[in-house]
Amino acid sequence: MDESFHMSPAEFRRHGHAVVDWVAGYLEHVGEYPVASRVAPGEVRAALPPEPPEQGEPFAAMLADLDRVILPGITHWQSPGFFGFFPCNGSGPAILGELVSAGLGIQGMLWATSPAATELETHVLDWLVDLLALPEAFRGNGVIQDSASSATLCALLAARQRAGVPYAALTGYTSTQAHSSVEKGWQIAGLDLANLRQVPVDGTYAMRPDALAALLAEDVAAGRTPAFVSATVGTTSSNAVDPVRAVAAVTTPHRAWLHVDAAMSGTAAVCPEFRWIHDGLELADSYCFNPHKWMFTSFDCDAFYVADRAALTNALSIVPEYLRNPASESGAVIDYRDWQIPLGRRFRALKLWFVLRHYGAEGLRHHVREHVTLAQELAAWLAADPRFEVVVDPPLNLVCFRHAAGDDASQTLLDALNATGEVFLTHTRLADRLVIRVSVGATQTRRAHVEHLRALIDRFAG
Ligand code: PLP
């Protein structure tokens, strides 16, 4: 029985070229689709055959169905008109890196299961230490996680382990504006949600160190053990930057673990003028940011650093006999399985490596500066128009504004903008008022696109 159903190398080459052409065409024309998908629930499934095929199909049929079935159900995160949530960037070099990673098809759980995967990962994360001027303690101590949520959970598990007291006594602290992943991680870690304190914020929605200090003191007085503080550099709602140095000053006397979540905004530190966001980071135990958000690297790619790797691996390392090998036993290598929740891991460093080499520091700085400039120009235009209120001065590339006539007018404006299909924006609530967010960071978003958004806002604001 030497029959084979596998795709031959020659077929792979031919279909592969067709797929690359398809993706290139998609990215070339992505701005022409309605940004947010308009399908109704169930519509995509209804267009799919109920049964899997008994006989294999020609590859061309799959490509045809991408256009027919899948594209209508896609929200085009890569569209230049995508201003929603935070960006989820892709780029040519990142996509090609993903392709090579899939082509190699390795599983990099141990150094020994593909030394290049581990060593390239450590190396490009050290490049990021240089590019973002991160603290020296992070050098050699970086790992790629799938998401900021996983990074925060790993930090939390390390903190829980390091505290060394019964879980019920542990308390954690994060601002009222922190991402929901902190609360989720706390629950996954089996900790009492009643012991996760929400620290009040100031007028810029940044954590108040004095309020943190008061909560810490209160818990210590009550016999509890502060174990974990999570500061945010660039909150999801409004891009607020918690003052890391001042937060650290009140955290470190309690020996609580300080994690800094810079999921979207960390990338800004490629530009020296934005490095103030990381002031005090050398006092943190761990840090993460997402190249998949603003560094033109396809999802998933979160760069996570710890100052003391033993604190992390002590919490996550369990060595079954079947994974023992001489390289690991020698202690001379990193086994990244001990730095994350799952065992297996993809070769994500490739796409980041391709991105860093394609753009160079200069290219990254150029596009980050452009996004920040465009956001701040938009904010200045909105602030000068009495129809609008800019809710916070944008520190970087997120503009938060509302209609001066109130929540209903803001909602009407948001709906009208999104109904055009030319742009996509999302909302939040700040001080219990509806706020429209304009997140300027998609790979293809340039000046013309932000100016078009401005014209639409002008047209629909009434
Ligand atoms: N932290 C912050 C500040 C975020 O803005 C986000 C997502 O937008 C996250 C964490 C979660 O990111 P991820 O999807 O990588 O878990």
Short mmCIF file of all heavy atoms in Angstrom, two decimals, residues 85-86 146-150 152 178-181 232-237 261-264 288 290 292-293 299 302, ligand 1:
data_model
loop_
_atom_site.label_atom_id
_atom_site.label_comp_id
_atom_site.label_asym_id
_atom_site.label_seq_id
_atom_site.Cartn_x
_atom_site.Cartn_y
_atom_site.Cartn_z
N PHE A 85 -10.74 48.85 19.37
CA PHE A 85 -9.97 48.15 20.42
C PHE A 85 -8.53 48.69 20.47
O PHE A 85 -8.31 49.88 20.56
CB PHE A 85 -9.99 46.64 20.17
CG PHE A 85 -11.38 46.08 19.98
CD1 PHE A 85 -11.84 45.64 18.74
CD2 PHE A 85 -12.25 46.01 21.06
CE1 PHE A 85 -13.11 45.14 18.59
CE2 PHE A 85 -13.54 45.51 20.91
CZ PHE A 85 -13.96 45.08 19.67
N PHE A 86 -7.57 47.74 20.44
CA PHE A 86 -6.19 48.08 20.13
C PHE A 86 -5.85 47.33 18.85
O PHE A 86 -6.50 46.32 18.54
CB PHE A 86 -5.25 47.67 21.27
CG PHE A 86 -5.16 48.67 22.39
CD1 PHE A 86 -4.94 48.25 23.70
CD2 PHE A 86 -5.29 50.04 22.15
CE1 PHE A 86 -4.86 49.17 24.74
CE2 PHE A 86 -5.21 50.96 23.19
CZ PHE A 86 -4.99 50.53 24.49
N ASP A 146 1.92 33.59 24.29
CA ASP A 146 0.90 33.84 23.27
C ASP A 146 0.24 35.20 23.46
O ASP A 146 -0.11 35.87 22.50
CB ASP A 146 -0.14 32.71 23.22
CG ASP A 146 -0.80 32.44 24.57
OD1 ASP A 146 -0.47 33.10 25.57
OD2 ASP A 146 -1.66 31.53 24.62
N SER A 147 0.06 35.61 24.70
CA SER A 147 -0.73 36.82 24.93
C SER A 147 -0.30 37.48 26.23
O SER A 147 0.35 36.86 27.09
CB SER A 147 -2.21 36.47 25.03
OG SER A 147 -2.39 35.62 26.15
N ALA A 148 -0.69 38.74 26.38
CA ALA A 148 -0.41 39.45 27.63
C ALA A 148 -1.14 38.78 28.79
O ALA A 148 -0.65 38.79 29.92
CB ALA A 148 -0.84 40.91 27.50
N SER A 149 -2.31 38.21 28.49
CA SER A 149 -3.05 37.53 29.56
C SER A 149 -2.22 36.39 30.13
O SER A 149 -2.16 36.20 31.36
CB SER A 149 -4.36 36.96 29.02
OG SER A 149 -5.14 37.95 28.44
N SER A 150 -1.57 35.62 29.26
CA SER A 150 -0.73 34.51 29.74
C SER A 150 0.47 35.04 30.51
O SER A 150 0.90 34.44 31.50
CB SER A 150 -0.25 33.67 28.56
OG SER A 150 -1.32 33.03 27.94
N THR A 152 0.67 37.77 32.25
CA THR A 152 0.22 38.21 33.58
C THR A 152 -0.05 37.01 34.47
O THR A 152 0.30 37.01 35.65
CB THR A 152 -1.03 39.10 33.43
OG1 THR A 152 -0.67 40.22 32.63
CG2 THR A 152 -1.56 39.57 34.77
N ALA A 178 -7.28 48.59 35.14
CA ALA A 178 -6.44 47.50 34.61
C ALA A 178 -7.25 46.60 33.68
O ALA A 178 -8.47 46.52 33.78
CB ALA A 178 -5.87 46.68 35.75
N HIS A 179 -6.54 45.90 32.81
CA HIS A 179 -7.20 44.98 31.90
C HIS A 179 -7.82 43.82 32.68
O HIS A 179 -7.27 43.38 33.70
CB HIS A 179 -6.19 44.45 30.87
CG HIS A 179 -6.83 43.68 29.76
ND1 HIS A 179 -6.91 42.31 29.77
CD2 HIS A 179 -7.45 44.10 28.64
CE1 HIS A 179 -7.54 41.92 28.67
NE2 HIS A 179 -7.87 42.98 27.97
N SER A 180 -8.92 43.30 32.15
CA SER A 180 -9.64 42.23 32.83
C SER A 180 -8.80 40.96 32.99
O SER A 180 -9.12 40.09 33.81
CB SER A 180 -10.91 41.88 32.04
OG SER A 180 -10.57 41.58 30.70
N SER A 181 -7.69 40.86 32.24
CA SER A 181 -6.85 39.66 32.34
C SER A 181 -6.21 39.52 33.72
O SER A 181 -5.84 38.42 34.12
CB SER A 181 -5.77 39.68 31.25
OG SER A 181 -5.07 40.90 31.25
N THR A 232 -0.16 49.21 34.96
CA THR A 232 -0.42 49.20 33.52
C THR A 232 0.24 50.41 32.87
O THR A 232 0.08 51.54 33.34
CB THR A 232 -1.94 49.25 33.24
OG1 THR A 232 -2.60 48.31 34.09
CG2 THR A 232 -2.24 48.92 31.79
N VAL A 233 0.95 50.15 31.80
CA VAL A 233 1.50 51.23 30.98
C VAL A 233 0.66 51.25 29.71
O VAL A 233 0.88 50.47 28.79
CB VAL A 233 3.00 50.98 30.69
CG1 VAL A 233 3.49 51.91 29.59
CG2 VAL A 233 3.82 51.18 31.95
N GLY A 234 -0.34 52.13 29.72
CA GLY A 234 -1.24 52.21 28.57
C GLY A 234 -2.49 51.37 28.80
O GLY A 234 -2.61 50.28 28.25
N THR A 235 -3.41 51.89 29.62
CA THR A 235 -4.61 51.10 29.92
C THR A 235 -5.50 50.96 28.67
O THR A 235 -5.42 51.78 27.75
CB THR A 235 -5.46 51.75 31.04
OG1 THR A 235 -5.82 53.07 30.63
CG2 THR A 235 -4.68 51.79 32.35
N THR A 236 -6.33 49.94 28.69
CA THR A 236 -7.13 49.62 27.52
C THR A 236 -8.18 50.70 27.25
O THR A 236 -8.39 51.08 26.10
CB THR A 236 -7.82 48.26 27.73
OG1 THR A 236 -6.87 47.37 28.32
CG2 THR A 236 -8.31 47.68 26.42
N SER A 237 -8.80 51.20 28.30
CA SER A 237 -9.85 52.18 28.08
C SER A 237 -9.31 53.51 27.58
O SER A 237 -9.84 54.08 26.62
CB SER A 237 -10.63 52.43 29.38
OG SER A 237 -11.70 51.54 29.48
N ASP A 261 2.26 45.73 32.90
CA ASP A 261 1.57 45.30 31.68
C ASP A 261 1.54 46.49 30.72
O ASP A 261 0.81 47.46 30.93
CB ASP A 261 0.14 44.85 32.06
CG ASP A 261 -0.73 44.61 30.83
OD1 ASP A 261 -0.22 44.62 29.70
OD2 ASP A 261 -1.94 44.39 31.02
N ALA A 262 2.35 46.39 29.66
CA ALA A 262 2.41 47.47 28.65
C ALA A 262 1.96 46.91 27.31
O ALA A 262 2.55 47.19 26.27
CB ALA A 262 3.82 48.01 28.56
N ALA A 263 0.89 46.11 27.34
CA ALA A 263 0.51 45.30 26.19
C ALA A 263 0.56 46.07 24.87
O ALA A 263 1.24 45.67 23.93
CB ALA A 263 -0.88 44.71 26.41
N MET A 264 -0.15 47.18 24.80
CA MET A 264 -0.13 47.93 23.54
C MET A 264 0.98 48.97 23.52
O MET A 264 1.72 49.09 22.55
CB MET A 264 -1.49 48.63 23.35
CG MET A 264 -1.80 49.02 21.92
SD MET A 264 -1.02 50.55 21.35
CE MET A 264 -1.87 51.74 22.39
N CYS A 288 5.58 42.94 30.43
CA CYS A 288 5.23 42.39 29.12
C CYS A 288 4.69 43.46 28.20
O CYS A 288 4.14 44.47 28.65
CB CYS A 288 4.21 41.26 29.25
SG CYS A 288 2.53 41.80 29.57
N ASN A 290 3.07 43.56 23.82
CA ASN A 290 2.67 42.70 22.70
C ASN A 290 3.19 43.24 21.37
O ASN A 290 2.59 44.16 20.81
CB ASN A 290 1.14 42.64 22.60
CG ASN A 290 0.50 41.83 23.70
OD1 ASN A 290 1.19 41.28 24.54
ND2 ASN A 290 -0.81 41.76 23.68
N HIS A 292 2.48 41.87 18.89
CA HIS A 292 1.34 41.64 18.00
C HIS A 292 0.31 42.77 18.07
O HIS A 292 -0.65 42.77 17.31
CB HIS A 292 0.69 40.27 18.22
CG HIS A 292 -0.13 40.10 19.47
ND1 HIS A 292 0.05 39.05 20.33
CD2 HIS A 292 -1.14 40.83 20.00
CE1 HIS A 292 -0.83 39.13 21.32
NE2 HIS A 292 -1.56 40.20 21.15
N LYS A 293 0.51 43.69 18.97
CA LYS A 293 -0.41 44.82 18.97
C LYS A 293 0.11 45.95 18.08
O LYS A 293 -0.56 46.38 17.16
CB LYS A 293 -0.66 45.32 20.39
CG LYS A 293 -1.72 44.48 21.13
CD LYS A 293 -2.16 45.13 22.43
CE LYS A 293 -3.48 44.56 22.93
NZ LYS A 293 -3.47 43.13 23.22
N PHE A 299 -0.39 38.24 15.22
CA PHE A 299 -0.83 37.52 16.40
C PHE A 299 -0.43 36.04 16.25
O PHE A 299 -0.60 35.46 15.18
CB PHE A 299 -2.36 37.62 16.49
CG PHE A 299 -2.89 37.17 17.81
CD1 PHE A 299 -2.99 38.04 18.87
CD2 PHE A 299 -3.29 35.85 17.99
CE1 PHE A 299 -3.47 37.61 20.09
CE2 PHE A 299 -3.76 35.42 19.21
CZ PHE A 299 -3.84 36.30 20.26
N ASP A 302 3.61 37.87 22.45
CA ASP A 302 3.77 38.74 23.62
C ASP A 302 5.19 38.55 24.15
O ASP A 302 5.63 37.41 24.36
CB ASP A 302 2.75 38.36 24.71
CG ASP A 302 3.06 39.04 26.04
OD1 ASP A 302 3.83 38.47 26.84
OD2 ASP A 302 2.53 40.14 26.28
N1 PLP B 1 -3.39 44.26 28.88
C1 PLP B 1 -3.78 45.38 28.25
C2 PLP B 1 -3.40 46.71 28.80
C3 PLP B 1 -4.53 45.28 27.08
O1 PLP B 1 -4.94 46.39 26.46
C4 PLP B 1 -4.87 44.01 26.59
C5 PLP B 1 -5.67 43.87 25.35
O2 PLP B 1 -6.04 44.80 24.71
C6 PLP B 1 -4.44 42.89 27.29
C7 PLP B 1 -3.70 43.05 28.43
C8 PLP B 1 -4.76 41.50 26.84
O3 PLP B 1 -4.02 41.20 25.71
P1 PLP B 1 -3.92 39.70 25.17
O4 PLP B 1 -5.00 39.57 24.15
O5 PLP B 1 -2.55 39.66 24.55
O6 PLP B 1 -4.08 38.79 26.30
#
